[in-house]
C-alpha cells in the first residue's frame, strides 16, 4: 500500500463527490443550454453548484465563472484583463505558478511591462518591493498567489490588494493551493479576481473557477456562445461542476478539523526531517498546514523521490508540471536558494486520508534511503 | 411504458455510455494521480491511461496519436485551431474563409480575429446547406491563411465534402480546419487520406463525458500553432493545464466504441430516422431543412408551416428536442443556420431538430410521430394563418399591421 | 421557458377558439400582428342590438403566452359594452397571466386586438347606417 504524500499535485476524489456526480453522466445528462427538461435539470444542478462554490469562498454565486481548471482561470484573468486595458505594468510575484507567469510574459508582445515582485529567503513577498513596483510604474494588474504550491508559504494577499487598489490597479490571487487547506474569503481578501480549482480539494479534475468582481471587465478568451455570461464559451461540464460544488461543501465542513490534523502530522514530519539534517524551505514563514518542502544536502531530489517511490511513498521533487526538465525550481531560486541545494528539493504534501503512522513510516524509510544514497555518493 | 420526456436531442449532448462510465470511475477514485506527476506510480498510471486514450482517439480518425492534443472540448479546440493558426501565420496573410452555417465557436472566433485586424469571408451555403465548390475556390486568395468548414452541421446534419474542399485548400497552400464535433461515430474520417490540417473533436456528442475534447494537429506537413493557454507546458506546450484523466479515459473509450460499432449503429439509426421522416412527411406543409442525401442518419430538421415555433415546442413537451442549436436556444432569435439557407423567419421559427441516438427505440419514434401529428393539427386549428392558407390567400401579399 | 399555471391552463384548454359564420349578425374582426414577428391574433366579437358583446372567438398564431392572452380576452370582453371592452388594458392581462417581461408584448397584442375588433365593428356599423341611407339612391353595389 503506497502512502500518497502528493496532495498539492492532485487529490483523490471524495466518495461522496463521486456519488453526487454519477447521476449526471447517465440520467441527468442534458446540455445545460437546452430548454427541455433534461436541459433545465442540468442548469439547476449548475446553479446549485455555483452557490456551493460561492459559499465556500465568501463570494456571490454571480461572481463564479466556471472554467476547465486553474490554468485556464489564470490565463483568462490575465489576458482578459489586459485586453480591456491600455498596456502598462503587470506585477506578479517571483514565485507564481507558470500559469500566471507565462501568460504575463505573453503580454509583453502587446506592450505590457512585466515586473517580478521579490520574495525573501523564506519565500514571503517583500511588501517594500510591492510598494516600489507600484510607485515606479503605472500598474494595471497585480497577481500574487495566496499559497505557494511548492513551499506552501502563505502571502498577505489582503495587504497586496490594498496596495494595488491604492494605485488603481486590479488585484488577482491564485488561491488554487490554499483552497480547502485554510479559510479563503474572496470578500476578505478584497481582490478583484481569484482562481480556484476542484481537483486540489478532493473534487474532479477538469473544472475550476475564476471568481470575479463583476465591475472588473475582462475579455473572454474562449468564444462561441453565451455560456457563463459570455465570459467562457463551451458546453458546461455538468458532472464536474456538480462535483466541484459537492467538494466545496465537504471541504468547508472539514475546515475546522483538517488543518489541525495536518499541522500535527506536518510538525512531526518537520521535526524528523530536521534531525536528519534537512533544510526546510519556507520554514520561517506561515505555511499551509500540509506542506513540507525540504532538501537533504548532497542528495539529488529526483533520485530521492524515486527511491521513496520504491519504498512506498509518493512524493514530488518539485511542482508537478509536464516540462519534465531537470532545472532547479524557479521558486527556490527566487528565494535565493543555491542551485545545488535546490536540485535536492523534495516536497511532501499531506492530505485528509494520511495518518500519523504513515508519517512515522516515511521518516524511517527516508533515514534508510539517505544512508544508502550517501554511501553511494561517498563511493 | 416509455420514459418521458423522450430524448431526441442527441446533437445537443449524449448520455455517457455505461461502458464509458465504467472505464472513467476508477480514474476518479483509486487511480486519481496527476498525469504530470513524474515521481510516483499514481502519476505514471494516469499518464499511461492518457496515452492509451490518445491512441483510441487517433484510431477512430486514422491519425497518429502524436497528432492529438487534449482540450476542454470542441469549443476550445476551434478557438485554439483558428486563433492559434491565425496568430502563427499572420506574417503570411490576414485573410480567413468560413461558412455562415458554422457553429458559433467558429463564427465568434472569426469575429474575434476580425477585431484584431484579420479579414474573414463568410460564405453563404446553397439552399440545401452545402458549400458550393466553385464559390469556395473563388473565395481563397493569395493572402488566405486558413479556411474552416464543419464536417457535419449541428442543426441540419448535412455533410460537407471536406475531401474536395481539402484538395482545393492544399493546392492553394491554405490551411484547412474542420470542426468534426458532430461527425465522430457518424461518418468515417480518414485523416491519413484527407487533406485536413486541423480537426476539432468533442467527447460528449459521441457518448463520452462533457468537458473534454481534442484537436488534431497534422505533423506531415507540419502545422504550427500559437498556444492559447499558457502554463506548465502540457501537451507539448500547445495546451497547458492539468489533464483530466477520467475525462480523457472516457473520451478514449467512447471513441473506441464508436470505431467498433458505428457501421451497425448507423444502420439502425438510419432506419429510425427514415421511419420518423416517413411519419412526419404525411403532415401537410412540412419542409425538411438541409439536404436529405448528404446528411448524417441521426438528424431530421423539419419546419411546420403556419405553426409558431415556441408554441410547438410547448405542445410537444413529451419530447426533448431542440428548436435550433442548443447554444442559441435561450434566445428567441430564429436559427441563423436556417436563415442562411434562405428560410423565412416563420419557417425558421417553426423548425424542430430531431436527433436520434444510441438509446432511441422504435417505440419512441412512433410515439413522437403520433404526438407531433396531433399537436400540429391542434395548433393549426387555432392558427388564423392556416385558415388563410386553406382559403387560398397568399400570405406574402397580405399587408400586416406592424407591431 | 417556464410558464405560469394560468398560461398553461389557457394554452391547454383555450376558451372560445373558432370563427363566426360569415353571415352572422353583428360580427366584427380584429387581426393584429405579423407572421414575421412570430405572432398573429384574430379576435372576433359578436355584438347584440344593445351594443353588448355577447360572444367572442379567437384564432392565434403565436407562443403559449400569445394564445393564453387571446383566450383570456375572449372571456373578459363577453358581457361588456364596446366602450367597456376598450378599458381592458394590457397590464391587466399581463398581471392576470403572470407574464414574464419578455412576454409583455403578447398582452399588448391582445389589447390591440380588442381595439381593432371594436374599430372594425364601429366602421361596419357606421357603414351599415350609411348603406341604409343610400338605399334607393345611386349605389353601385
Amino acid at each position: 500500500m503506497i502512502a500518497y504524500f502528493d496532495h498539492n499535485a492532485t487529490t483523490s476524489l471524495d466518495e461522496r463527490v463521486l456519488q453526487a456526480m454519477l447521476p449526471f453522466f447517465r440520467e441527468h445528462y442534458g446540455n445545460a443550454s437546452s430548454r427541455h427538461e433534461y436541459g433545465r435539470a442540468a442548469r439547476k444542478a449548475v446553479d446549485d453548484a455555483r452557490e456551493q462554490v460561492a459559499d465556500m469562498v465568501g463570494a456571490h454565486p454571480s461572481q463564479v465563472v466556471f472554467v476547465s481548471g486553474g490554468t485556464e482561470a489564470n490565463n483568462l484573468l490575465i489576458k482578459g484583463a489586459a485586453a480591456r486595458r491600455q498596456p502598462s505594468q503587470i506585477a506578479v510575484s517571483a514565485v507564481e505558478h507558470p500559469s500566471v507567469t507565462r501568460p504575463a510574459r505573453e503580454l509583453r508582445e502587446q506592450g505590457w511591462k512585466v515586473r517580478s515582485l521579490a520574495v525573501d529567503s523564506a519565500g514571503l513577498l517583500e511588501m517594500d518591493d510591492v510598494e516600489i513596483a507600484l510607485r515606479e510604474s503605472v500598474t494595471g494588474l497585480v497577481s500574487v498567489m495566496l499559497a505557494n504550491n511548492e513551499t506552501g508559504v502563505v502571502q498577505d494577499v489582503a495587504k497586496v490588494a490594498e496596495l494595488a487598489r491604492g494605485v488603481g490597479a486590479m488585484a488577482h490571487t491564485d488561491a488554487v493551493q490554499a483552497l480547502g487547506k485554510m479559510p479563503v474569503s474572496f470578500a476578505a481578501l478584497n481582490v478583484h479576481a481569484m482562481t480556484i480549482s476542484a481537483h486540489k480539494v478532493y473534487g474532479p479534475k477538469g473544472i475550476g473557477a475564476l471568481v470575479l468582481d463583476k465591475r472588473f471587465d475582462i475579455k473572454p478568451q474562449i468564444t462561441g456562445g453565451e455560456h457563463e455570461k459570455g465570459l467562457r464559451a463551451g458546453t458546461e461540464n455538468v458532472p464536474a461542476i456538480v462535483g466541484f460544488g459537492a467538494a466545496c461543501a465537504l471541504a468547508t465542513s472539514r475546515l475546522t478539523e483538517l488543518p489541525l490534523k495536518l499541522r500535527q502530522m506536518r510538525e512531526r514530519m518537520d521535526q524528523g526531517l530536521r534531525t536528519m539534517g534537512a533544510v526546510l524551505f519556507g520554514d520561517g514563514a506561515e505555511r499551509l498546514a500540509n506542506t513540507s518542502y525540504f532538501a537533504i544536502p548532497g542528495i539529488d531530489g529526483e533520485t530521492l523521490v524515486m527511491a521513496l517511490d520504491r519504498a512506498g511513498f509518493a512524493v514530488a521533487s518539485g511542482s508537478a508540471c509536464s516540462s519534465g526538465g531537470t532545472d532547479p525550481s524557479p521558486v527556490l531560486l527566487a528565494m535565493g536558494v543555491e542551485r545545488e541545494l535546490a536540485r535536492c528539493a523534495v516536497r511532501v504534501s499531506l492530505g485528509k486520508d494520511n495518518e500519523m503512522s504513515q508519517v512515522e513510516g516515511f521518516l524511517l524509510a527516508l533515514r534508510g534511503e539517505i544512508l544508502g544514497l550517501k554511501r553511494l555518493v561517498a563511493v | 411504458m416509455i420514459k418521458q420526456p423522450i430524448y431526441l436531442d442527441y446533437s445537443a449532448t449524449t448520455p455517457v455510455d455505461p461502458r464509458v462510465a465504467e472505464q472513467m470511475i476508477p480514474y476518479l477514485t483509486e487511480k486519481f494521480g496527476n498525469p504530470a506527476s513524474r515521481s510516483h506510480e499514481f502519476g505514471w498510471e494516469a499518464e499511461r491511461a492518457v496515452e492509451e486514450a490518445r491512441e483510441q482517439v487517433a484510431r477512430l480518425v486514422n491519425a497518429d496519436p502524436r497528432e492529438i492534443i487534449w482540450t476542454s472540448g470542441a469549443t476550445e479546440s476551434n478557438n485554439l485551431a483558428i486563433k492559434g493558426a491565425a496568430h502563427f501565420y499572420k506574417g503570411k496573410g490576414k485573410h480567413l474563409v468560413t461558412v455562415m452555417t458554422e457553429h458559433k465557436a467558429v463564427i465568434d472566433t472569426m469575429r474575434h480575429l476580425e477585431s484584431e485586424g484579420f479579414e474573414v469571408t463568410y460564405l453563404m451555403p446553397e439552399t440545401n446547406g452545402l458549400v458550393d465548390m466553385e464559390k469556395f475556390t473563388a473565395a481563397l486568395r493569395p493572402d488566405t491563411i486558413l479556411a474552416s468548414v464543419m464536417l457535419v452541421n449541428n442543426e441540419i446534419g448535412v455533410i460537407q465534402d471536406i475531401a474536395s474542399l481539402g484538395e482545393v485548400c492544399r493546392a492553394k497552400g491554405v490551411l484547412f480546419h474542420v470542426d468534426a464535433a458532430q461527425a465522430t461515430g457518424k461518418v468515417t474520417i480518414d485523416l491519413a487520406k484527407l487533406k485536413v490540417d486541423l480537426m476539432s473533436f468533442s467527447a460528449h456528442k459521441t457518448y463520452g463525458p462533457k468537458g473534454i475534447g481534442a484537436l488534431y494537429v497534422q505533423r506531415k506537413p507540419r502545422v504550427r500553432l500559437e498556444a492559447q493557454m499558457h502554463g506548465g507546458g502540457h501537451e507539448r506546450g500547445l495546451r497547458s493545464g492539468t489533464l483530466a484523466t477520467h475525462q480523457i479515459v472516457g473520451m478514449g473509450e467512447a471513441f473506441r466504441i464508436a470505431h467498433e460499432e458505428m457501421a451497425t449503429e448507423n444502420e439502425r439509426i438510419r432506419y429510425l430516422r427514415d421511419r420518423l421522416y416517413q411519419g412526419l412527411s404525411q403532415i401537410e406543409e412540412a419542409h425538411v431543412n438541409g439536404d436529405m442525401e448528404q446528411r448524417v442518419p441521426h438528424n431530421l430538421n423539419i419546419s411546420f408551416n403556419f405553426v409558431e415555433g415556441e408554441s410547438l415546442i410547448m405542445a410537444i413537451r413529451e419530447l426533448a428536442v431542440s428548436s435550433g442549436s442548443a447554444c442559441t436556444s435561450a434566445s428567441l432569435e430564429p436559427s441563423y443556420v436556417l436563415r442562411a439557407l434562405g428560410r423565412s423567419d416563420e419557417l425558421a421559427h417553426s423548425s424542430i431538430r430531431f436527433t436520434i441516438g444510441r438509446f432511441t427505440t422504435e417505440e419512441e419514434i412512433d410515439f413522437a410521430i403520433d404526438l407531433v401529428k396531433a399537436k400540429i393539427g391542434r395548433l393549426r386549428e387555432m392558427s388564423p394563418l392556416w385558415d388563410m392558407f386553406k382559403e387560398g390567400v397568399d400570405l406574402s401579399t397580405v399587408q400586416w399591421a406592424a407591431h | 421557458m417556464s410558464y405560469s399555471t394560468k398560461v398553461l391552463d389557457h394554452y391547454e384548454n383555450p376558451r372560445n377558439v373558432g370563427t363566426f359564420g360569415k353571415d352572422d349578425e353583428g360580427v366584427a374582426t380584429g387581426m393584429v400582428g405579423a407572421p414575421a414577428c412570430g405572432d398573429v391574433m384574430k379576435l372576433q366579437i359578436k355584438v347584440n342590438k344593445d351594443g353588448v358583446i355577447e360572444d367572442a372567438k379567437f384564432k392565434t398564431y403565436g407562443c403559449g403566452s400569445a394564445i393564453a392572452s387571446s383566450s383570456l380576452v375572449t372571456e373578459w370582453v363577453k358581457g361588456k359594452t364596446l366602450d367597456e371592452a376598450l378599458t381592458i388594458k394590457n397590464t391587466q392581462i399581463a398581471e392576470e397571466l403572470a407574464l414574464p417581461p419578455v412576454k409583455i408584448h403578447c398582452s399588448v397584442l391582445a389589447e390591440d386586438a380588442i381595439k381593432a375588433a371594436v374599430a372594425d365593428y364601429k366602421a361596419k356599423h357606421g357603414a351599415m347606417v350609411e348603406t341604409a341611407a343610400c338605399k334607393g339612391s345611386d349605389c353601385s353595389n
Side-chain angles (χ1 to χ4, degrees):
Chain A
M1 186 64 192
I2 299 174
Y4 186 76
F5 283 169
D6 199 11
H7 291 84
N8 287 7
T10 194
T11 59
S12 63
L13 196 79
D14 192 295
E15 176 62 26
R16 287 164 291 182
V17 174
L18 177 67
Q19 291 310 320
M21 289 170 69
L22 285 179
F24 293 90
F25 288 122
R26 299 270 319 128
E27 265 171 78
H28 310 300
Y29 53 81
N31 185 321
S33 297
S34 296
R35 294 164 79 190
H36 48 66
E37 209 173 292
Y38 294 86
R40 290 198 305 271
R43 169 64 52 207
K44 182 171 184 312
V46 168
D47 289 345
D48 291 349
R50 203 185 298 279
E51 266 184 46
Q52 291 174 308
V53 173
D55 275 356
M56 180 175 188
V57 297
H60 189 270
S62 66
Q63 295 173 318
V64 175
V65 180
F66 287 120
V67 297
S68 69
T71 293
E72 187 186 339
N74 286 338
N75 273 263
L76 169 59
L77 184 277
I78 290 171
K79 292 182 204 156
R84 291 278 197 253
R85 278 158 188 80
Q86 288 300 319
S88 60
Q89 174 172 272
I90 171 169
V92 302
S93 90
V95 294
E96 290 302 307
H97 190 266
S99 58
V100 166
T101 52
R102 287 286 320 277
R105 226 179 294 155
E106 289 295 313
L107 298 183
R108 282 185 184 148
E109 216 176 288
Q110 297 150 42
W112 285 73
K113 194 172 117 190
V114 183
R115 170 68 153 81
S116 179
L117 301 169
V119 295
D120 64 17
S121 59
L124 266 181
L125 198 63
E126 290 181 7
M127 285 299 165
D128 290 354
D129 193 46
V130 177
E131 286 180 42
I132 292 166
L134 296 180
R135 217 171 24 235
E136 70 191 7
S137 203
V138 178
T139 305
L141 184 68
V142 181
S143 181
V144 171
M145 71 205 312
L146 186 50
N148 186 269
N149 48 308
E150 293 183 37
T151 60
V153 168
V154 178
Q155 307 291 356
D156 187 355
V157 169
K159 178 70 183 167
V160 174
E162 189 192 317
L163 292 173
R165 283 178 188 266
V167 296
M170 297 296 170
H172 166 249
T173 188
D174 175 350
V176 165
Q177 287 297 340
L179 193 72
K181 299 172 191 137
M182 59 181 268
V184 173
S185 166
F186 182 65
L189 292 172
N190 202 23
V191 287
H192 296 90
M194 180 169 87
T195 295
I196 52 176
S197 169
H199 79 99
K200 312 281 190 188
V201 287
Y202 311 95
K205 294 175 185 63
I207 192 75
L210 181 67
V211 185
L212 183 70
D213 181 333
K214 280 177 290 179
R215 288 162 295 185
F216 192 23
D217 183 28
I218 63 170
K219 188 178 182 184
Q221 298 297 300
I222 295 181
T223 51
E226 291 304 302
H227 313 82
E228 297 299 302
K229 297 209 183 83
L231 282 174
R232 206 288 188 178
T235 298
E236 289 89 343
N237 186 354
V238 182
I241 289 170
V242 167
F244 193 8
C248 282
L250 288 165
T252 305
S253 70
R254 277 195 293 263
L255 261 182
T256 42
E257 298 293 326
L258 183 61
L260 294 175
K261 179 189 167 187
L262 292 172
R263 193 172 297 279
Q264 264 183 352
M265 290 191 288
R266 204 269 311 275
E267 276 170 8
R268 172 70 190 108
M269 179 74 79
D270 283 359
Q271 185 215 357
L273 289 170
R274 282 193 195 94
T275 63
M276 284 177 243
V279 176
L280 288 170
F281 302 117
D283 200 8
E286 185 195 337
R287 274 181 294 158
L288 291 175
N290 78 321
T291 309
S292 241
Y293 198 30
F294 66 92
I296 307 290
I299 295 184
D300 177 62
E302 292 278 340
T303 313
L304 185 53
V305 296
M306 292 301 169
L308 286 166
D309 176 65
R310 284 191 299 272
F313 297 92
V315 298
S317 60
S319 84
C321 273
S322 69
S323 53
T326 50
D327 282 349
S329 148
V331 171
L332 294 179
L333 297 183
M335 290 160 63
V337 175
E338 293 293 329
R339 296 181 80 89
E340 273 313 300
L341 187 62
R343 281 188 212 281
C344 303
V346 173
R347 180 185 71 185
V348 171
S349 48
L350 305 169
K352 71 178 173 66
D353 300 322
N354 291 139
E355 295 299 338
M356 190 62 96
S357 59
Q358 293 177 307
V359 174
E360 298 292 356
F362 175 82
L363 290 171
L364 205 63
L366 181 63
R367 192 175 295 275
E369 296 299 340
I370 291 172
L371 282 176
L373 288 168
K374 277 208 170 145
R375 207 170 298 137
L376 264 180
V377 173
V379 170
Chain B
M1 192 56 205
I2 307 174
K3 181 179 184 275
Q4 287 180 6
I6 294 167
Y7 193 75
L8 291 171
D9 204 9
Y10 281 84
S11 284
T13 191
T14 58
V16 169
D17 188 288
R19 292 167 288 181
V20 170
E22 200 182 306
Q23 292 295 316
M24 289 172 69
I25 290 168
Y27 289 94
L28 276 163
T29 52
E30 70 263 32
K31 301 177 182 179
F32 63 88
N34 186 331
S37 288
R38 291 292 160 92
S39 53
H40 48 69
E41 178 57 24
F42 292 91
W44 301 323
E45 175 181 59
E47 197 195 9
R48 281 195 300 272
V50 165
E51 295 315 316
E52 195 191 326
R54 207 187 295 276
E55 280 174 27
Q56 290 171 317
V57 168
R59 205 169 300 133
L60 176 66
V61 294
N62 200 16
D64 186 311
R66 290 171 294 179
E67 295 175 314
I68 302 296
I69 300 294
W70 302 116
T71 66
S72 67
T75 294
E76 187 188 335
S77 297
N78 286 336
N79 273 256
L80 172 58
I82 296 169
K83 287 183 203 160
H87 290 159
F88 193 90
Y89 293 100
K90 62 176 182 257
K92 190 194 159 224
K94 297 199 98 178
H95 179 245
L96 301 99
V97 175
T98 191
V99 187
M100 291 181 83
T101 46
E102 291 295 303
H103 190 271
K104 272 199 173 304
V106 167
I107 300 282
D108 286 0
T109 301
M110 292 288 182
R111 298 258 182 247
H112 173 99
L113 287 174
E114 282 180 302
S115 77
E116 290 180 359
F118 288 88
E119 195 190 329
V120 180
T121 299
Y122 300 90
L123 285 172
M124 184 78 108
E126 303 304 293
T127 53
N128 62 0
L130 295 171
V131 174
D132 179 79
M133 202 59 64
E134 274 175 36
K135 289 177 190 167
F136 180 79
T137 309
L140 302 179
R141 315 190 311 212
D143 64 335
T144 307
I145 48 178
L146 178 137
S148 180
V149 178
M150 72 207 304
L151 179 46
V152 173
N153 185 275
N154 51 313
E155 291 196 32
I156 53 178
V158 298
I159 304 166
Q160 301 290 355
D161 181 6
I162 60 162
S164 305
L165 296 168
E167 294 288 350
V168 172
C169 287
R170 190 61 57 89
K172 293 206 169 197
V174 173
L175 287 179
F176 189 38
H177 167 250
V178 173
D179 175 358
Q182 294 284 350
T184 47
K186 301 190 178 100
V187 295
T188 305
I189 301 171
D190 184 351
L191 284 168
K193 288 213 185 85
L194 290 167
K195 303 282 191 294
V196 170
D197 301 283
L198 297 157
M199 188 177 265
S200 302
F201 303 110
S202 164
H204 80 98
K205 312 282 190 190
T206 312
Y207 311 95
K210 295 176 181 64
I212 187 73
L215 179 66
Y216 160 83
V217 184
Q218 184 177 255
R219 283 167 65 89
K220 283 177 193 167
R222 190 176 177 202
V223 177
R224 309 280 301 270
L225 296 178
E226 195 179 292
Q228 299 296 302
M229 217 182 278
H230 300 90
H234 310 71
E235 297 300 280
R236 281 180 279 117
L238 276 178
R239 204 283 188 179
S240 291
T242 295
L243 294 174
T245 321
H246 69 286
Q247 287 175 181
I248 288 169
V249 165
M251 183 164 178
E253 176 69 2
F255 276 40
R256 181 196 69 76
I257 295 169
H259 185 52
E260 284 176 16
E261 299 180 1
M262 66 183 276
T264 45
E265 175 164 82
N266 284 348
E267 238 173 84
R268 192 185 75 88
I269 285 171
R270 183 181 300 280
Y271 167 78
L272 293 178
R273 197 272 312 273
D274 289 347
R275 189 178 179 88
L276 180 66
Y277 176 56
Q278 294 299 325
L280 296 185
S281 53
Q282 289 165 14
I283 298 174
E284 241 182 299
E285 282 295 306
H287 306 274
V288 171
N289 297 306
D291 195 86
M292 209 50 199
E293 297 305 316
Q294 282 285 88
R295 186 190 198 100
V296 289
H298 308 63
N299 176 295
L300 184 66
N301 187 314
I302 190 162
S303 291
F304 301 98
N305 215 349
F306 314 115
V307 172
E308 192 274 336
E310 215 182 305
S311 60
L312 176 57
I313 286 283
M314 200 170 159
I316 55 172
R317 270 170 302 174
E318 293 91 336
L319 307 180
V321 292
S322 170
S323 53
S325 163
C327 301
T328 56
S329 60
S331 72
L332 298 173
E333 289 294 303
S335 150
Y336 68 92
V337 170
L338 299 187
R339 293 294 306 280
L341 307 191
R343 287 294 195 210
S344 67
D345 278 4
E346 295 94 301
L347 274 178
H349 266 302
S350 69
S351 75
I352 300 287
R353 178 186 73 177
F354 299 90
T355 44
I356 298 164
R358 187 168 292 168
F359 306 103
T360 308
T361 64
E362 190 165 338
E363 198 186 4
E364 290 177 330
I365 292 294
D366 290 345
F367 179 92
I369 294 168
D370 291 345
L371 183 80
V372 173
K373 276 187 186 166
K375 297 294 180 171
I376 295 281
R378 189 179 101 93
L379 287 171
R380 280 181 175 166
E381 262 170 46
M382 243 191 272
S383 168
L385 303 183
W386 181 248
D387 284 352
M388 292 164 85
F389 167 73
K390 283 283 161 187
E391 285 159 15
V393 178
D394 179 358
L395 290 176
S396 64
T397 63
V398 177
Q399 283 281 337
W400 300 100
H403 150 56
Chain C
M1 181 81 47
S2 58
Y3 291 95
S4 70
T5 44
K6 279 185 178 160
V7 169
L8 283 175
D9 176 42
H10 278 281
Y11 173 79
E12 296 291 350
N13 312 294
R15 293 24 155 199
N16 311 305
V17 175
T19 309
F20 288 117
K22 279 209 172 77
D23 305 323
D24 282 13
E25 283 283 306
V27 169
T29 305
M31 179 124 89
V32 292
C37 303
D39 29 33
V40 175
M41 258 180 215
K42 187 178 86 170
L43 176 69
Q44 288 191 309
I45 51 175
K46 191 175 189 181
V47 185
N48 67 15
K49 276 168 270 166
D50 306 324
V52 173
I53 300 170
E54 62 179 23
D55 202 359
K57 287 195 184 297
F58 85 93
K59 285 216 173 186
T60 289
Y61 163 88
C63 65
S65 299
I67 290 169
S69 296
S70 25
S71 166
L72 180 70
V73 299
T74 58
E75 284 191 318
W76 278 4
V77 296
K78 271 194 227 179
K80 286 194 166 67
T81 64
L82 292 176
D83 287 342
E84 283 167 354
L86 286 175
T87 65
I88 296 171
K89 292 281 165 262
N90 81 288
T91 47
Q92 296 167 289
I93 300 164
E95 193 183 333
E96 173 69 17
L97 295 173
L99 296 182
V102 295
K103 293 294 176 191
I104 297 300
H105 72 273
C106 297
S107 64
V108 174
L109 203 61
E111 182 189 318
D112 289 349
I114 302 173
K115 285 180 185 152
V118 170
D120 183 52
Y121 180 83
K122 285 184 173 169
K124 277 183 184 161
H125 192 75
M128 276 165 66
V129 174
E130 270 178 35
T131 312
C134 75
K135 245 179 198 164
S137 72
D138 194 18
C139 277
S140 54
N141 58 327

